[in-house]
Structure formats: C-alpha cells, structure tokens
Amino acid sequence: MKKITLLIFLIFTVFINISAQRDYDRDGSFNPDSLTEVTLTGSAIIDTSTLHSKYYLDEDSDGVADYRLNFGPYWYSPDSSEAVRPNDGDVITIFGGLNDFVDSIDVVVVYEINGEFWRDPYEPFWTNFTRHPRLGHRLANGLRGFAFGWMNDSLTTVELTGIALVDTTCIMNRFYLDEDGDGYPDYFLNFGPYWYEPESGTIRPSDGDPVSIKGGLIDRDSIDAVVVYELNGEAWRDSSSFGRHPGGRWFRHNMNGPARINNPFDDGDNFTVNQNWRRMGGMNNDSLFGQMLELYPQNIPNSQNQNAFCGFEIGLYDENGTNKMWKNGRTGGRMQFNSSVQYQFHYSETQTNMYNVDESSIAVKYWDEDSEDWQTVNDVVVDTENNTVSFESTTASSLIIMTSESITDVTEEGTLSLPENFSLKQNYPNPFNPETKIAFSLPSSSIVRLNVYNVLGEKVTVLLNEQLNAGYHEVNFNASNLASGVYLYELTAGSNTIVKKMNLMK
C-alpha cells in the first residue's frame, strides 16, 4: 500500500497530466509525427447509436466503412473557418493524418474537410496572444509564421470557475473551461507549452475536474482565451514576466545599451541586440520590434528528417507592423546587423526524453533562404548542466532549430568499464507500440526488481526479480496485452529506487 501511495504521489506531483480518454475520442492521443498524410474522397457514414455520433468514410461506395474519421471531441469546432461536420450520406473529401491500426479500422485525424480548415495538430497554441485566429499555418512550406509583433490585446485579469474539458486527440493536450456546465467550452485555457511545469508543482487538470482559474483574458473573435496565472489558488505563471508585449520589445537605433528579447514562457530562450546594430546604408529602419517564440518542431517548414527537438521563430517588425523576416510572402528570411546578436536557447528534460536526445551531439541550424536548406551554426556552446545552447552572430534568422542524434545504442553487460552510478534510462522508443527497451546500470552486484504499474498504481507486470552483476543491462518490454496509455516503470536495487514513465500508443 505504501508503494502504491508513493507512485500515485509521484504521478500527481511530477509528471505531466495525461487526461482520461472518453468514448468520443478513444482513438487515443495521436502522435502526428507518426501519421501519414492522405487525401480521401467518399461518402460519410454517421453512427448515431452512441451518446455522441461517430463518423466514418465509405471510400469505395460499397456501404461499408473504410475509415473512421476523428473530428476531435463532440464539442470541437474550428476557429479559423466555417467548416462543419458532415451529414450521413454526404460526399466529402478529407485531408488528414492516417493512423494505420492493426486488426481494426484505420483512423484518419481530420485536418481539412472539403478544402476547408478543420484543425492543425501541430499548432503551437501557447503562442496565441492575439485577438484574431490565424489560418493556414500548418506544416506547409508557405508558412507565414506565428509571430504577431506588438499587435496583441492587453490582457485583462479575470477569475473563473467551471469544469475542465481536455482535447486529447492532438499530440499536445488542449485545455478548455466549461463555465456554465453545459458540456461545451466557454474559454480556451493557455497553460503554456507541453513541457512547461510551474515551480509550485501544480499540475494541469484532468478532463472533468472542477477548477478555478485566475488569468489574463484575450478577447478573441472565436472562443475567448485565458492565459493561466493561477490554478485552484496555486501559482502557475508570473504574469509580470509577459510585460506589455508578450515575447518581444522595441529596440532603437540610438539606444545606449543592449535590448534582450525573451520567449514569453521561458526566459532561458532569448536573443540580445546590442547598440550600433543598425547598418548604415543597408537598413532603413530606425526602430524594430523583436519577438521570439518557441514552436513545436513540426511547425517549422522543411524541418522533417532533421532530428529537430526544438524550434524557434524570430520576428522583426518595422513601425508599420511589417515582419521584415518574411521573404516572398512567407517566413524564412534573415537580416544582417552591424553588431553581434547574442542567442541563448534552453531545452527541458521533457524535450530530451521525448526525442531521446544525445546531448553530446546537439547542434543549431538556421534556414538559409538562398540555398533553401538548413545551415549549421558554428562555435555553439552547449551547457548540458543548465540545458542551454548559446552562440553569437551578426545575422538574425527567422527559423532556427536545435537538432541531435538519438540515443539508440546501449552498452552490453560485461564491458570492461563498469558504471559508477545506479541509473535508469528513458525507455526507447517512447512512445512505443508494442515493444520498447529499458536500459539501466548497476555499479555493484545486486538483487534487481523492475516492475511496471498503471497510473492507478496497480502493478501490471514484473520484468525482473533476480540477482544481476554490476554493469549495463537492457530489458525488452512487450506490452501487446495492455491498453494504450501511460505506464510507470520502477527499478529497485538494494535501497535505490528510480521511477520513470512511458507512453504506450496503439
């Protein structure tokens, strides 16, 4: 009982919340990185026998469903188009992400219906500090960018109570507030990026949780958004850090000192412009507004096959509100300065674990619009103790990614060099289906127990319970008999215990 209580405590104080699946979205929390984009045409089949309708596509007109269509929770509707769910028998064209299920009907996560926008599974929703929704930013080479300059509304502080609604059908859970109890969202809750965790230890709510929210209201054209400052009376985000212009500030041609621009959700991400930055004869602007936003790597065009685990967009705006980093109507440009610009990027353990980052191979790349390719930045300093990457350059690039090699090799037991510490590595791959490898090291011979638990703290399997020699070990875990979800694996050797989480996605 004590061990189960400890596990539950760890779940709710350390790990990012994974919300429970409902019938209407039990296709799971899809990882769009693993989905194949497809365009399909056929007749819609609607199953109304359940509380919330289920949608299918009959592609070959034989009256039998060929695909299930995942439109998201029953209450979801796009904020950037007039698209609606189809009626039974409608002939429709779907563009989306195909999830090829084994021994079950394939599922298509809908991105567009009949050429109209439905949703963007990669959208970095935490960057939204503006009134107007932005259409067409999804993973296309014609990305116009997510930076918005200083054209944001002032955030009005509000206090709200209601029920949390969680959309788990995209790679990053999206949170809403049902204030009036009708089962539909009244506000979008901006908790920040998936990797953000407050110092207070407060965790994101689960679907159906009663919550009280204090935050900054953004009066949007569609559903209003609230940037969360407090959750259930506990601190979530220091509102003073946003400043007047979230993620940006002005710098002038005659300034007397440096100007630093921060990522609004991580002060560890910043770039500093120094005085005398203006190139005489090559730059006509007396003042520029600089902005820095962190994106999900798949938001960055042309970033596929780069092993990117972090992505950033930098915007530089003139007095008329024009982003000078655009080239040919899209982001991807660069700007030359007269003095060096200092850059620093911060990465979290959540990101390194998610992408199995080998920190010894971290590199920084920028998009070169002339060669239409990624170029590696030279003289980069990687601080693995503080998880920062820094460099300086006289060029500002609008698209920057951090890349690395993946950790795939595990030293076999019996190597000449024995480990100095007891350690447990993140399972690989993660997420996985249905097999994954768990590696660990023992500095001395010991009885080792490796158990797997579900999120309720119930033991689901014992992978190891035996005496092992000092060295490096690896265990294969086959979860073919388990349901999709988050599981914990606990390694115990003598008085040492380490617990980590892993994500099974079928």
Side-chain angles (χ1 to χ4, degrees):
M1 180 63 70
K2 182 181 295 184
K3 183 172 291 184
I4 293 176
T5 303
L6 173 61
L7 284 167
I8 294 176
F9 172 78
L10 286 170
I11 296 168
F12 289 103
T13 57
V14 177
F15 299 137
I16 296 176
N17 171 68
I18 303 295
S19 61
Q21 303 294 312
R22 286 187 173 184
D23 287 340
Y24 58 77
D25 66 0
R26 64 183 176 194
D27 295 319
S29 299
F30 292 106
N31 182 346
D33 293 344
S34 65
L35 302 187
T36 303
E37 291 185 358
V38 295
T39 300
L40 304 169
T41 299
S43 299
I45 298 177
I46 316 299
D47 178 5
T48 60
S49 63
T50 57
L51 178 61
H52 301 292
S53 297
K54 296 179 181 179
Y55 295 81
Y56 299 88
L57 184 73
D58 175 12
E59 187 181 31
D60 52 12
S61 302
D62 63 354
V64 179
D66 299 301
Y67 301 92
R68 179 168 177 186
L69 302 179
N70 186 320
F71 283 95
Y74 67 91
W75 41 259
Y76 175 81
S77 61
D79 63 2
S80 301
S81 78
E82 300 299 323
V84 297
R85 286 171 166 80
N87 295 313
D88 192 70
D90 285 354
V91 177
I92 56 176
T93 297
I94 296 293
F95 170 66
L98 173 66
N99 195 92
D100 188 8
F101 276 84
V102 179
D103 298 327
S104 181
I105 189 169
D106 293 344
V107 176
V108 176
V109 183
V110 178
Y111 302 159
E112 295 178 4
I113 177 171
N114 297 330
E116 292 191 80
F117 173 82
W118 185 259
R119 64 176 167 178
D120 177 0
Y122 302 107
E123 179 192 359
F125 48 82
W126 59 84
T127 66
N128 193 346
F129 289 90
T130 61
R131 171 186 295 274
H132 304 287
R134 293 155 300 186
L135 173 62
H137 288 168
R138 57 168 312 281
L139 60 132
N141 290 339
L143 181 75
R144 297 186 67 191
F146 293 93
F148 49 85
W150 70 94
M151 305 296 187
N152 61 286
D153 297 324
S154 298
L155 304 184
T156 304
T157 301
V158 295
E159 296 187 22
L160 306 167
T161 58
I163 302 297
L165 300 177
V166 186
D167 179 1
T168 62
T169 56
C170 289
I171 188 170
M172 298 163 286
N173 291 350
R174 301 186 184 184
F175 296 81
Y176 299 83
L177 182 71
D178 173 15
E179 187 180 32
D180 54 14
D182 64 354
Y184 290 85
D186 298 299
Y187 299 92
F188 170 77
L189 299 179
N190 186 340
F191 282 99
Y194 69 93
W195 42 257
Y196 176 77
E197 296 180 2
E199 295 180 359
S200 64
T202 306
I203 63 171
R204 291 165 171 81
S206 297
D207 193 81
D209 282 354
V211 294
S212 61
I213 300 290
K214 181 178 180 180
L217 176 67
I218 303 172
D219 184 16
R220 299 199 302 178
D221 289 350
S222 54
I223 184 172
D224 292 343
V226 176
V227 181
V228 177
Y229 302 157
E230 293 182 8
L231 172 63
N232 297 328
E234 297 290 334
W236 184 268
R237 186 71 172 125
D238 180 6
S239 60
S240 64
S241 64
F242 289 123
R244 182 180 179 187
H245 303 297
R249 63 174 292 182
W250 286 96
F251 51 94
R252 315 290 180 181
H253 77 281
N254 58 352
M255 62 187 189
N256 296 320
R260 193 174 83 168
I261 292 90
N262 293 320
N263 169 4
F265 274 97
D266 190 342
D267 290 342
D269 300 324
N270 57 73
F271 69 99
T272 301
V273 178
N274 294 289
Q275 59 193 71
N276 301 320
W277 56 270
R278 187 171 180 264
R279 288 181 63 204
M280 302 305 297
M283 184 181 296
N284 297 322
N285 302 98
D286 289 333
S287 302
L288 286 175
F289 181 86
Q291 187 167 52
M292 182 184 201
L293 298 174
E294 181 167 0
L295 310 181
Y296 183 67
Q298 288 293 331
N299 296 128
I300 307 292
N302 306 307
S303 66
Q304 290 75 12
N305 302 319
Q306 291 293 323
N307 294 318
F309 66 95
C310 284
F312 301 88
E313 179 187 351
I314 291 176
L316 295 173
Y317 294 80
D318 63 18
E319 296 88 342
N320 298 319
T322 300
N323 190 348
K324 308 297 286 186
M325 302 295 269
W326 282 9
K327 184 177 178 63
N328 299 323
R330 66 182 187 181
T331 191
R334 293 187 296 157
M335 180 177 287
Q336 191 74 25
F337 288 92
N338 194 52
S339 58
S340 290
V341 178
Q342 285 78 44
Y343 296 87
Q344 177 178 285
F345 301 107
H346 174 259
Y347 58 91
S348 69
E349 291 187 6
T350 300
Q351 290 167 308
T352 57
N353 289 338
M354 182 176 182
Y355 291 93
N356 289 291
V357 170
D358 178 0
E359 291 184 273
S360 66
S361 67
I362 288 178
V364 177
K365 299 179 181 181
Y366 67 90
W367 179 253
D368 183 349
E369 76 280 9
D370 294 326
S371 65
E372 295 191 345
D373 199 2
W374 292 98
Q375 303 295 329
T376 301
V377 177
N378 297 320
D379 301 321
V380 170
V381 177
V382 179
D383 183 346
T384 57
E385 182 176 348
N386 296 304
N387 291 8
T388 60
V389 178
S390 57
F391 64 95
E392 64 178 60
S393 173
T394 56
T395 301
S397 302
S398 62
L399 297 176
I400 298 174
I401 56 176
M402 287 202 296
T403 68
S404 81
E405 307 238 344
S406 296
I407 299 174
T408 57
D409 296 325
V410 179
T411 306
E412 297 292 334
E413 182 179 1
T415 57
L416 295 177
S417 177
L418 293 177
E420 296 181 359
N421 300 308
F422 173 69
S423 67
L424 174 65
K425 290 185 177 294
Q426 184 65 44
N427 65 300
Y428 180 84
N430 186 47
F432 68 98
N433 178 28
E435 293 188 354
T436 189
K437 296 182 184 300
I438 300 173
F440 58 93
S441 61
L442 298 175
S444 60
S445 176
S446 178
I447 295 177
V448 177
R449 291 183 295 275
L450 181 59
N451 299 325
V452 178
Y453 298 83
N454 61 24
V455 292
L456 298 178
E458 300 167 336
K459 186 186 298 182
V460 297
T461 189
V462 177
L463 297 179
L464 272 179
N465 187 12
E466 59 185 271
Q467 182 87 27
L468 293 179
N469 293 327
Y472 299 90
H473 303 266
E474 182 178 277
V475 176
N476 188 63
F477 174 40
N478 188 317
S480 57
N481 63 329
L482 297 177
S484 296
V486 174
Y487 292 87
L488 305 177
Y489 57 105
E490 178 197 51
L491 179 69
T492 300
S495 60
N496 299 308
T497 297
I498 302 177
V499 179
K500 288 182 179 289
K501 71 171 182 176
M502 54 186 168
N503 195 353
L504 172 61
M505 283 180 149
K506 292 187 175 181

